[in-house]
C-alpha cells in the first residue's frame, strides 16, 4: 500500500501556522481511494484515486457539488464501505486488513458519527442513546459519562426525553454527545447542519468546534455550508470523484 | 455474553415494548403457546379420563387378570403406592335350585370389591359391596330362568346358600356380546366351604386397582414389567371399538386444530417479524455504525426473542391453565370421573411449540437485520441483503414440519394437512398472480380512483401476492375447521339416531327364528336381520398349527387365544366395505371362501389366499381368505370378523344373533320375551350407547373450545397480513394527499384494493377448503367426501367483506394522519 503514496499527489500540506500539528501523528490516511459501482453493465466511478492525510486534532471539511462523492468518501474513511481500490489507515490500522468485526471494534473505540438525519434510536431516551456506544464497549460507568456529556451539550434537563420530543437542533446535540462520549480519535460528520435552520446550524457547529478544540478529537465533516467549511483548518474539495485542491484554506 | 450486552438487550427489549413494535409477534407466539398448551393438556387429560372411565366399566382403573391366584406382592406394592385394590375370582360351576340345574359363572367377591360403582338389586337398592358371608346373590336372568325368588336356597358345590338379592346391574359389566352369562355372586370367604376352588381349578382371578392417576401409571408400568405367564393387564385402552372411534376422532380433530393453530400462528409470526425487520433496518444500521458487531446484534436479536417467549409464556401458560381447567370442569360431570392432571410433558410441549414457532418463523427475517449495510446511515435506499430463499424457507419449513410431526404424532394427519396447505398455497399464488396480471392490464385502460387502487396493487406486487397467500391460508384454515367441525358433530348426531339398536340378542336356535320374529312383531319391535353365528378358535395358518407365542403384540396374542365370531352369508351387508380382493359373489368365489375383517387380518398376519383353520366346538373348519373388509362399528349391528359361504355352516350348529331397538316403554314385557326363549341371551347396550353419546357431546364441546383458539389464530394472521403493507401505504397515501388526492378517493381506492384481494383470497380459500375438507374428512375422519357449496359461497363473500373491513380499519391512518407527519417520520 505504501507505494500508492509515491505516485499520488501530496494530499496534505500541514498548516505552517501551527507547527505542533505538523508533528502530530496521522490519524486518517487515504491512499489512492477509488470506488466503482456497477449499474447493470455500466461501471460508474464515484471516487477516483483520492489520497490525503489528516493529522490528530485537525478539522477538515470535505466540500463539493452534489453527487461529487463526498458521502461516499466519508463512508470509506469511516470503514462503513469498502473501496474498490486503495486503502484507508485509521488510527494506525489498515482498514483493508480488518474484517467486519474488526471494523466494528475500531468504530466503537476510535470513531464517532454525526449525521444529517440525526439517526437517534427513537424508542430510547436521550440518555440511553448516549449510553449506547459505551455499553457496546462494555463500559460500566456508561450512565455517569452519558449524563456528563448531555450536560455539556446543554441537555442536562432533557435526559429522559425521547428523540420524538426533541427539536432537530436538540436531537443533533444528543447525536453529538453520543459521538463524543467514547472520546473517539476521529469524528465524522455528514452535513451535520444540513437539516437545521441557519441559527441552529451555527449553534451546532459552535458546539462541534468547541468540543473538538477541548480535546484530541479530529473532525472530518462533509458540508455544503461554506461558512462551516471555512471554520475548518483545511478543506478538501471533490469534483466528480477526484480531489481538486488537496490543500486549500479558504 | 458480557454483562453490558444483557443490559443492552434489556434496553432494546424495553424499547420495543414501549413502542409496541413486538406486540403482534408476542401475541402470535402467545397464541401458538396458548392453543398448543390448552389443547395438548386438555386432550391428554380427557384421553386419560376417558380411559379411566372405560377402565371403570371393568371395576377399577387397572385390572390384573391371571389364570392362577395373583401374588401377594402386587397387593403390597399397591398399598405402598396408596392404591386401593380388590380381589375377584370367577369360574364356571353348576348350581341347583329347586331341583333344576344350570351352568353358571360363579363370582367370588373380595371384601373391598367393588372399588368403584355399585351393585343394583332388582328391589332398587344399591350396594357398595357384594353379598355378606353366608348369602348368595343371583343374576336377574338366572332368577328368571330358574324361577328363583328372595329367600330360596341354592346349592353351590358342597354348600347351600339363601338367595338374598337379585342383581340387575353390576359395577364391572364388561360389555362383551357373548360373555353375558348367568351369574351368581358370593362372598369369597364362603368359597372354601363349597370345595369348588382347589389347586388346578380353571378360574379367572382378578386384582382390581383404583387410585390417583400418577400412582396408577407407576403401578401399571411396574405390573407390566413383572407380568408372569397367564397374567395380563387391562386399562381403558381395551374399550369397545364403538367408543374408541368416537374418542379417536375427537382426538384427531383436537390435534388438527392445534396443528392448524400453530401453522397460522407461525404465519402471523413470520409476517409480524418481517414487518418488524423492515422497520428496524435504520436502527440496526446505526448500531452497527457506532460499533456493534454483527455477532452482538445477533445475540441481541436472540435475546429479544427470548424476551418475547418469556412474555408470551407468562401470559399464555396461566391462561392455558385457566382455559383447560374451565373446560375440564365442565366436562368432568359428563365423563363421570374427575379429570386427572396432565403429565408435565403436555405443558412443556405447549411451551416448546411457542418457542419453535417463534424461532423458526421470526428468526430468519430478524437475523437478516444484523447484516444490514452500515452505509445505510448515509444512503437510505440500501437494504439488508436478501436472505437466501432456501435458508428462509428452509428453516421455517423444516421447523414447521418437525413441529407438526411432533404435535400431530400421526403421520396420516400430518401429511394430509401439509398436502392440503401446500395445495391451497399453490392455488392462492396462481390466483393472486392472475389477479395482478388482469389488474395491471385493466389499470392501463382505466382512470381515476380505480387506477389508484389497481396501480397500488401492481406497485406492491410481492406484498400483494404475499398478502393474498397469507390471507388465503388463514381463511382456508378457518373454513376448513368450520366445515370439518360441522360435519363431525352432524356425524355424531346421525350415528346414534334415537332408534339405534340397544339390544343384542344371541343364542337363538335356527328353528326359533320364526317364533322370535312373531313375538317381536306382537310387541311392535323390528329386528335388524338375523345372522348365523358360531364361535371358533384359530388353529392353523396354511396348515401350520399356531401357538400364541407366535404373536408379537399382546393384543394379537389375545385375539389368537380367544374364540371369535364367525358367520355365514350369501351377501355382505352394505356397511361391510371390501377394501382388498374381489366382491363377495357366490358365483365367482371358491367353495371355501372367507371374508375377513382387515384389522384382524393385519394383526394375525393373514393375507388374501391364506388358508385358515378354525376349531369350532371340536369340528375343524378350513377356508381361504378371498377378501378383506372394513366394518362400521358404530352401526350397532352384529359384526363378524370372519364370514364364510352359507354352505360352509352345514355341519356346524350355529346359533343366531340379531340386534334391535327395544323401546323403554316396553320394559315390562322384556322379561316375558326372555322367558319365552330361555336359551336366548339379551345384551343391553343402553349404557354403552349413553356413554358414547356423552363422549360425543363432551368432544363436541371441547371441539368448540379448540375451534375458538384456531379462529383467534386465523384472525391474527389476517391482521398481520393486512398490517404488513401499512407503512408503505401510509407513505404513499401521504404523497398522494400532498399531491392533492381527496380522502374519499383514497378510501375508495383502498376499499377496492382490499376488497379485490379479499375476494380472491376468500374465494380461493373457501373453494380450496371445501375440497380439503372433503379430502381430509374422508382420509382422517371417515366422513363421506362432500363439497358444501352453500358454505363455500357464504365463506367467500364473508372473507371478502372481512378483509375489506379489516384492511380499511388497519390503514385508516392513511386518510386521517397529517401527510407531513408521515413524510417526516419516514
Ligand atoms: N451504491 C451506489 N449505487 C449507485 N450509485 C451510487 C452509489 N453510491 C453512490 N452513488 C452515486 O455516486 C455519486 C456520489 O454519491 P454521494 O452520495 O457520495 O454524493 P454526495 O457528494 O454526498 O452528494 P450530496 O451532496 O448530494 O449528498 C452520486 O451520483 C450517487 O448517485
Ligand atoms: Mg452526501
Amino acid at each position: 500500500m505504501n507505494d500508492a503514496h509515491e505516485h499520488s499527489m501530496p494530499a496534505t500540506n500541514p498548516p505552517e501556522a501551527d507547527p505542533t500539528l505538523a508533528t502530530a501523528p496521522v490519524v486518517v490516511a487515504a491512499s489512492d481511494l477509488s470506488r466503482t459501482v456497477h449499474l447493470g453493465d455500466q461501471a460508474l466511478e464515484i471516487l477516483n484515486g483520492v489520497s490525503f492525510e489528516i493529522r490528530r486534532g485537525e478539522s477538515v471539511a470535505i466540500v463539493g457539488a452534489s453527487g461529487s462523492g463526498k458521502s461516499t468518501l466519508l463512508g470509506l474513511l469511516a470503514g462503513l464501505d469498502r473501496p474498490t481500490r486503495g486503502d484507508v489507515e485509521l488510527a494506525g490500522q489498515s482498514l483493508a486488513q480488518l474484517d467486519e468485526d474488526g471494523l466494528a471494534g475500531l468504530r466503537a473505540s476510535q470513531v464517532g458519527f454525526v449525521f444529517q438525519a440525526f439517526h437517534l434510536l427513537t424508542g430510547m431516551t436521550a440518555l440511553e442513546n448516549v449510553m449506547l456506544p459505551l455499553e457496546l464497549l462494555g463500559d460500566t460507568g456508561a450512565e455517569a459519562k452519558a449524563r456528563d456529556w448531555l450536560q455539556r451539550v446543554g441537555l442536562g434537563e432533557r435526559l429522559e426525553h425521547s428523540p420524538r420530543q426533541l427539536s432537530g437542533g436538540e436531537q443533533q446535540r444528543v447525536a453529538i454527545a453520543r459521538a463524543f462520549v467514547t472520546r473517539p480519535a476521529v469524528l465524522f460528520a455528514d452535513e451535520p447542519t444540513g437539516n437545521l435552520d441557519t441559527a441552529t446550524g451555527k449553534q451546532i457547529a459552535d458546539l462541534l468546534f468547541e468540543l473538538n478544540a477541548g480535546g484530541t478529537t479530529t473532525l472530518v465533516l462533509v458540508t455544503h455550508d461554506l461558512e462551516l467549511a471555512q471554520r475548518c483548518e483545511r478543506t478538501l474539495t471533490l469534483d466528480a470523484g477526484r480531489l481538486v485542491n488537496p490543500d486549500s484554506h479558504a | 455474553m458480557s454483562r453490558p450486552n444483557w443490559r443492552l438487550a434489556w434496553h432494546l427489549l424495553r424499547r420495543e415494548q414501549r413502542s409496541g413494535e413486538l406486540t403482534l409477534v408476542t401475541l402470535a407466539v402467545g397464541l401458538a403457546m396458548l392453543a398448543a398448551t390448552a389443547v395438548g393438556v386438555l386432550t391428554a387429560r380427557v384421553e386419560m379420563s376417558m380411559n379411566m372411565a372405560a377402565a371403570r366399566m371393568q371395576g377399577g382403573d387397572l385390572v390384573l387378570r391371571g389364570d392362577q391366584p395373583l401374588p401377594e406382592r402386587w397387593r403390597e406394592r399397591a398399598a405402598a403406592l396408596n392404591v386401593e385394590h380388590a380381589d375377584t375370582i370367577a369360574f364356571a360351576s353348576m348350581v341347583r335350585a329347586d331341583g333344576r340345574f344350570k351352568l353358571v359363572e360363579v363370582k367370588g367377591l373380595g371384601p373391598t370389591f367393588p372399588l368403584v360403582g355399585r351393585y343394583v338389586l332388582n328391589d332398587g337398592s344399591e350396594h357398595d359391596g357384594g353379598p355378606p358371608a353366608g348369602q348368595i346373590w343371583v343374576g336377574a336372568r338366572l332368577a328368571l330362568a330358574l324361577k328363583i325368588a328372595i329367600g330360596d336356597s341354592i346349592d353351590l358345590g358342597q354348600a347351600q346358600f339363601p338367595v338374598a338379592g337379585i342383581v340387575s346391574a353390576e359395577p364391572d359389566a364388561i360389555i362383551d356380546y357373548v360373555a353375558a352369562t348367568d351369574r351368581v355372586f358370593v362372598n369369597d370367604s364362603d368359597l372354601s366351604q363349597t370345595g369348588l376352588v382347589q389347586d388346578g381349578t380353571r378360574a379367572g382371578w382378578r386384582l382390581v386397582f383404583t387410585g390417583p392417576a400418577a400412582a396408577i401409571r407407576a403401578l401399571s408400568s411396574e405390573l407390566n414389567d413383572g407380568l408372569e405367564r397367564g397374567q395380563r393387564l387391562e386399562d381403558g385402552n381395551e374399550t369397545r371399538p364403538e367408543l374408541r372411534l368416537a374418542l379417536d376422532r375427537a382426538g384427531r380433530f383436537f390435534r388438527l386444530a392445534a396443528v392448524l393453530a400453530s401453522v397460522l400462528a407461525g404465519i402471523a409470526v413470520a409476517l409480524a417479524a418481517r414487518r418488524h425487520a423492515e422497520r428496524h433496518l435504520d436502527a440496526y444500521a446505526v448500531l452497527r455504525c457506532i460499533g456493534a458487531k454483527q455477532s452482538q446484534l445477533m445475540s441481541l436479536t436472540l435475546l429479544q426473542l427470548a424476551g418475547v417467549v418469556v412474555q408470551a409464556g407468562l401470559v399464555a401458560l396461566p391462561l392455558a391453565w385457566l382455559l383447560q381447567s374451565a373446560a375440564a370442569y365442565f366436562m368432568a360431570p359428563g365423563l363421570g370421573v374427575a379429570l386427572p392432571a396432565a403429565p408435565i410433558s403436555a405443558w412443556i410441549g405447549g411451551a416448546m411449540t411457542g418457542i419453535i414457532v417463534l424461532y423458526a418463523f421470526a428468526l430468519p427475517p430478524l437475523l437478516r437485520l444484523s447484516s444490514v449495510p452500515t452505509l445505510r446511515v448515509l444512503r437510505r435506499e440500501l437494504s439488508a441483503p436478501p436472505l437466501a430463499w432456501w435458508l428462509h424457507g428452509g428453516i421455517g419449513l423444516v421447523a414447521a414440519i418437525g413441529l407438526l410431526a411432533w404435535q400431530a404424532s400421526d403421520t396420516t394427519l400430518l401429511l394430509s394437512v401439509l398436502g392440503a396447505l401446500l395445495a391451497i398455497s399453490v392455488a392462492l399464488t396462481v390466483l393472486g398472480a392472475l389477479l395482478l396480471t388482469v389488474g395491471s392490464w385493466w389499470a392501463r385502460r382505466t382512470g381515476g380512483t380505480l387506477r389508484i387502487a389497481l396501480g397500488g396493487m401492481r406497485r406492491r406486487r410481492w406484498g400483494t401476492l404475499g398478502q393474498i397467500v397469507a390471507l388465503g391460508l388463514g381463511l382456508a384454515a378457518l373454513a376448513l375447521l368450520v366445515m370439518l367441525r360441522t360435519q363431525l358433530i352432524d356425524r355424531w348426531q346421525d350415528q346414534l339416531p334415537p332408534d339405534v339398536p340397544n339390544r343384542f340378542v344371541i343364542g337363538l336356535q335356527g328353528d326359533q327364528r320364526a317364533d322370535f320374529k312373531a313375538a317381536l312383531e306382537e310387541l311392535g319391535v323390528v329386528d335388524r336381520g338375523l345372522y348365523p353365528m358360531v364361535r371358533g378358535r384359530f388353529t392353523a395358518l396354511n396348515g401350520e398349527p399356531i401357538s400364541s407365542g407366535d404373536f408379537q403384540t399382546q393384543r394379537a396374542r389375545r385375539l389368537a387365544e380367544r374364540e371369535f365370531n364367525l358367520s355365514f352369508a350369501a351377501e355382505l351387508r352394505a356397511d361391510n366395505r371390501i377394501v382388498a380382493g374381489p366382491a363377495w359373489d357366490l358365483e365367482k368365489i371358491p367353495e371355501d371362501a372367507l371374508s375377513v375383517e382387515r384389522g384382524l387380518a393385519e394383526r394375525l398376519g393373514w393375507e388374501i389366499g391364506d388358508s385358515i383353520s378354525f376349531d369350532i366346538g371340536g369340528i375343524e373348519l378350513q377356508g381361504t381368505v378371498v377378501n378383506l373388509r372394513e366394518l362400521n362399528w358404530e352401526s350397532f349391528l352384529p359384526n363378524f370378523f370372519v364370514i364364510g359361504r352359507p354352505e360352509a355352516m352345514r355341519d356346524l350348529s350355529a346359533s343366531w344373533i340379531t340386534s334391535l331397538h327395544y323401546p323403554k316403554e316396553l320394559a315390562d314385557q322384556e322379561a316375558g320375551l326372555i322367558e319365552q326363549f330361555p336359551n336366548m341371551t339379551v345384551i343391553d347396550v343402553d349404557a354403552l350407547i349413553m356413554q358414547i353419546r356423552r363422549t360425543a357431546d363432551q368432544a363436541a364441546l371441547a371441539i368448540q373450545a379448540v375451534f375458538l383458539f384456531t379462529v383467534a389464530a386465523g384472525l391474527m394472521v389476517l391482521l398481520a397480513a393486512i398490517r404488513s403493507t401499512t407503512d408503505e401505504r401510509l407513505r404513499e397515501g401521504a404523497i398522494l394527499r400532498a399531491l392533492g388526492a381527496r380522502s374519499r378517493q383514497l378510501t375508495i381506492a383502498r376499499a377496492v384494493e382490499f376488497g379485490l384481494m379479499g375476494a380472491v383470497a376468500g374465494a380461493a380459500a373457501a373453494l380450496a377448503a371445501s375440497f380439503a375438507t372433503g379430502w381430509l374428512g374422508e382420509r382422517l375422519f371417515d366422513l363421506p367426501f362432500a363439497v358444501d357449496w352453500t358454505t363455500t359461497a357464504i365463506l367467500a363473500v364473508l372473507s371478502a367483506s372481512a378483509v375489506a373491513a379489516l384492511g380499511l380499519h388497519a390503514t385508516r391512518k392513511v386518510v386521517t394522519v397529517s401527510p407531513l407527519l408521515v413524510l417526516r417520520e419516514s
Side-chain angles (χ1 to χ4, degrees), chain B residues 574-595:
Chain B
D575 64 349
N576 280 233
R577 210 154 53 85
I578 292 173
V579 290
W584 191 252
D585 181 347
L586 292 191
E587 307 271 292
K588 297 192 179 130
I589 53 175
E591 290 287 300
D592 66 345
L594 294 178
S595 176

Side-chain angles (χ1 to χ4, degrees), chain A residues 163-175:
Chain A
R164 284 186 218 278
Q165 297 164 315
L166 299 175
S167 74
E170 285 161 350
Q171 287 188 50
Q172 198 63 308
R173 282 162 195 262
V174 177

